[in-house]
Amino acid sequence: MSDFTFPKGFIWSCATASAQIEGAWNEDGKGLSIWDTYCHTPGKIVDGSTCDVACDSYHLYEEDVALLKGLGVQQYRFSIAWARILPTGTVDVVNQKGVDYYHKLIDALIASGIEPVITLYHWDLPQSLQDLGGWLNRQIVDWFAEYARFCFKNFGTTAKIWITLNEPWVASWYGYAGDAKSHAPGGFQQHTPWAPYLCAHHMLLSHAAAYRIYEREFKNEQNGKCGISLNCHWKEPATSDPDDQAAARRAFEMQLGWFANAIFSKEGDYPLLMREHMAELSKQEGRATSRLPKFTQQEIQSLKGSADFFGLNYYMAHMVKSQKWSESTPNSCQRLRDGGYVEFFDPHWEQIGGKQSWIRNTPWGLRNVLNFVKNEYNNVPLLITENGCCNERYDGLEDHQRIKYVGDHLKAVSQAINTDGCNVIGYTVWSLVDNFEWAEGYTLLFGIHSVDFDDPKRPRRPKLSASWYKQCIEANAVVEAPQASPKTHV
């Protein structure tokens, strides 16, 4: 019997996202998204690929559902492509074929005994809204609210679990900072250092607006739940020096706390530490006001408690050391300059997924994050909405590194539940299938099922991790990993 078990009713799941798997980028009335535009711009994607076809799940969704049924998962987390159902981004134009697609997917899941978990926004903003300023335009709060209402009304009688936004921290920094790792929409320069903060501000207000609509208009009748998925890397101080200790806490609050504090804390605002830090930094820059926007009292009340569960995406930890940056520091990025720290990996941490991978196997960091949420946010029900690792293309099907990584993190979750008393209700592996990994194209693949992207039919094949994950689900525990063959290098 396993030493790492889970409570009765623990939820097992897999996840994907629309832009990464659906393909059919211009079929059946779908509008353009910012990722359609971005990956058609030369030089933006590492391998020059696009998400035009991806896994072709728009046509092959039944195969995906069959994979899920074979695993025995209780839930499947996927996202709706906003531009597929509302091509111009607003409810003025509805694409019924897109609506029908999601009805078919939801119905197929339910027929297979799998509960849909729907993410409203997983980074693929309609290009028509980006042309009006995207997340930097205050009007997007209304656009997102109407989109959310449309989805709740059309899909909420059968889909009961909703996630408003996926990783708004990534969307804000990677999409709207000129010197950070680039995601769509991109194109922002260093003279707009306020942009990531305004983007995040509007994303939080949009989340609150959508949640309150669900709460007022649909929750009692549909009997569902609505939350948000936030990403977080554990921030470990590099030394015992007080400056490094403070820098690590500041880095953590300026990632997880930036979004979680307003929703899950009693104050309903950005963390005090972040507010004070950004006010002082902005003053030093000669600004009359902070680059971090302020909420009104009405907005604070709307944000406070605007989630029925905490969705957490976790992949790894960082070491953090205090650092005084300047604009002229070579190779610095705004996020680190603003935070006043540098982050790096301990060289002893295991790198997972090849030399180009950004993943490190640090399961203790996940346990620390779970305990932080328990202690700071009243032990709110927490659903791990993403955790997983990559392999390189053509690595084969014997993904022992993934089994070790996922197994180590599942053990940490089991300890957090059974020893620490953390209210973790489920675990979602990223991802069900290999897919389009944003700016990395198809060079890093996260699926527990492979997809042959050289074959127009996009056949799926289970990796070794899929059968192992199935055994964990059946046992409701972490089962022993299969032995690696002598030729295994993955």
Side-chain angles (χ1 to χ4, degrees):
M1 182 176 178
S2 173
D3 293 328
F4 301 97
T5 61
F6 298 92
K8 184 179 180 180
F10 188 77
I11 299 165
W12 297 84
S13 180
C14 291
T16 62
S18 52
Q20 295 179 271
I21 70 164
E22 285 182 1
W25 72 285
N26 62 353
E27 290 186 41
D28 288 346
K30 177 185 172 294
L32 285 177
S33 80
I34 57 174
W35 274 97
D36 294 323
T37 301
Y38 193 75
C39 67
H40 286 125
T41 304
K44 295 298 186 182
I45 309 302
V46 168
D47 58 0
S49 63
T50 71
C51 54
D52 291 1
V53 179
C55 308
D56 202 21
S57 289
Y58 183 74
H59 300 108
L60 303 177
Y61 70 92
E62 291 175 309
E63 292 188 23
D64 294 342
V65 174
L67 296 179
L68 291 160
K69 186 175 182 180
L71 290 170
V73 295
Q74 290 89 39
Q75 288 183 347
Y76 174 48
R77 179 188 172 217
F78 65 94
S79 72
I80 290 177
W82 188 342
R84 191 175 297 284
I85 61 173
L86 303 177
T88 64
T90 69
V91 294
D92 296 334
V93 180
V94 175
N95 178 29
Q96 190 58 45
K97 287 185 177 180
V99 174
D100 292 344
Y101 165 71
Y102 292 110
H103 276 304
K104 289 186 290 187
L105 174 57
I106 292 168
D107 290 347
L109 290 168
I110 293 173
S112 296
I114 301 165
E115 183 174 42
V117 178
I118 300 181
T119 303
L120 290 173
Y121 184 73
H122 201 129
W123 304 350
D124 47 349
L125 187 72
Q127 182 62 44
S128 57
L129 299 185
Q130 183 59 40
D131 292 342
L132 299 175
W135 290 105
L136 301 185
N137 185 339
R138 178 62 172 76
Q139 196 174 351
I140 200 167
V141 178
D142 297 326
W143 296 331
F144 185 78
E146 286 303 311
Y147 161 61
R149 177 182 280 116
F150 180 89
C151 291
F152 297 150
K153 181 178 180 180
N154 280 273
F155 307 118
T157 55
T158 48
K160 306 297 182 183
I161 309 296
W162 296 91
I163 294 168
T164 54
L165 305 171
N166 178 77
E167 298 185 357
W169 182 91
V170 173
S172 300
W173 274 120
Y174 289 7
Y176 286 88
D179 55 359
K181 180 178 178 181
S182 189
H183 275 195
F188 290 83
Q189 305 304 316
Q190 293 188 17
H191 62 261
T192 56
W194 46 266
Y197 300 101
L198 187 60
C199 170
H201 197 71
H202 291 160
M203 293 189 92
L204 274 168
L205 294 176
S206 297
H207 158 79
Y211 179 84
R212 297 306 174 191
I213 286 172
Y214 190 73
E215 182 182 53
R216 290 192 308 267
E217 301 177 22
F218 300 98
K219 191 172 185 179
N220 289 339
E221 179 182 345
Q222 296 180 355
N223 195 30
K225 295 180 180 179
C226 185
I228 187 170
S229 286
L230 304 177
N231 65 299
C232 179
H233 301 150
W234 177 253
K235 306 298 185 181
E236 185 70 13
T239 72
S240 60
D241 185 293
D243 287 345
D244 292 344
Q245 299 281 324
R249 181 57 185 252
R250 188 166 60 249
F252 193 77
E253 291 287 13
M254 291 181 73
Q255 184 176 46
L256 187 67
W258 187 6
F259 299 93
N261 210 69
I263 299 169
F264 297 102
S265 76
K266 293 180 180 179
E267 59 182 340
D269 202 345
Y270 295 122
L272 179 61
L273 184 157
M274 184 177 184
R275 283 180 276 148
E276 291 179 342
H277 177 79
M278 290 303 299
E280 177 60 27
L281 181 62
S282 298
K283 182 179 178 181
Q284 293 174 7
E285 294 169 344
R287 300 176 188 274
T289 58
S290 175
R291 284 192 276 123
L292 182 69
K294 291 183 179 180
F295 294 117
T296 66
Q297 282 303 310
Q298 184 178 1
E299 290 167 346
I300 285 173
Q301 292 305 313
S302 181
L303 277 161
K304 193 187 303 183
S306 60
D308 300 317
F309 61 91
F310 191 122
L312 175 68
N313 296 355
Y314 176 87
Y315 288 91
M316 63 186 178
H318 281 135
M319 299 292 289
V320 174
K321 187 173 180 59
S322 177
Q323 173 74 49
K324 294 187 182 300
W325 295 96
S326 69
E327 289 286 346
S328 59
T329 303
N331 301 319
S332 67
C333 76
Q334 182 193 334
R335 176 174 62 83
L336 300 181
R337 291 196 305 270
D338 284 359
Y341 63 89
V342 62
E343 59 189 18
F344 56 94
F345 297 124
D346 185 312
H348 297 99
W349 293 350
E350 181 186 11
Q351 185 175 14
I352 301 290
K355 294 181 179 180
Q356 303 304 313
S357 171
W358 49 270
I359 303 288
R360 300 297 186 275
N361 189 18
T362 54
W364 50 268
L366 174 56
R367 187 174 179 182
N368 287 346
V369 173
L370 295 175
N371 274 277
F372 179 91
V373 173
K374 169 195 167 188
N375 295 327
E376 294 292 324
Y377 302 132
N378 199 31
N379 210 14
V380 61
L382 185 146
L383 178 64
I384 296 172
T385 44
E386 285 184 29
N387 176 244
C389 65
C390 59
N391 58 262
E392 294 179 334
R393 195 167 178 180
Y394 309 116
D395 269 345
L397 302 176
E398 291 196 26
D399 53 344
H400 290 274
Q401 270 201 336
R402 177 174 289 107
I403 292 171
K404 183 180 187 303
Y405 174 95
V406 173
D408 287 348
H409 284 76
L410 282 170
K411 290 174 182 178
V413 175
S414 175
Q415 292 170 325
I417 295 170
N418 297 321
T419 302
D420 307 336
C422 296
N423 190 13
V424 184
I425 61 175
Y427 175 90
T428 307
V429 72
W430 183 272
S431 174
L432 173 65
V433 289
D434 289 341
N435 53 59
F436 178 75
E437 185 51 30
W438 309 113
E440 307 299 332
Y442 301 98
T443 62
L444 298 178
L445 302 174
F446 281 76
I448 61 173
H449 296 89
S450 75
V451 176
D452 186 350
F453 296 106
D454 296 322
D455 188 329
K457 295 181 179 179
R458 296 298 195 267
R460 285 91 157 115
R461 295 176 64 192
K463 299 178 186 178
L464 191 61
S465 58
S467 60
W468 172 83
Y469 191 55
K470 177 180 180 179
Q471 293 173 44
C472 291
I473 296 170
E474 291 171 344
N476 202 31
V478 185
V479 302
E480 186 176 348
Q483 293 296 312
S485 64
K487 295 183 179 180
T488 296
H489 301 290
V490 179

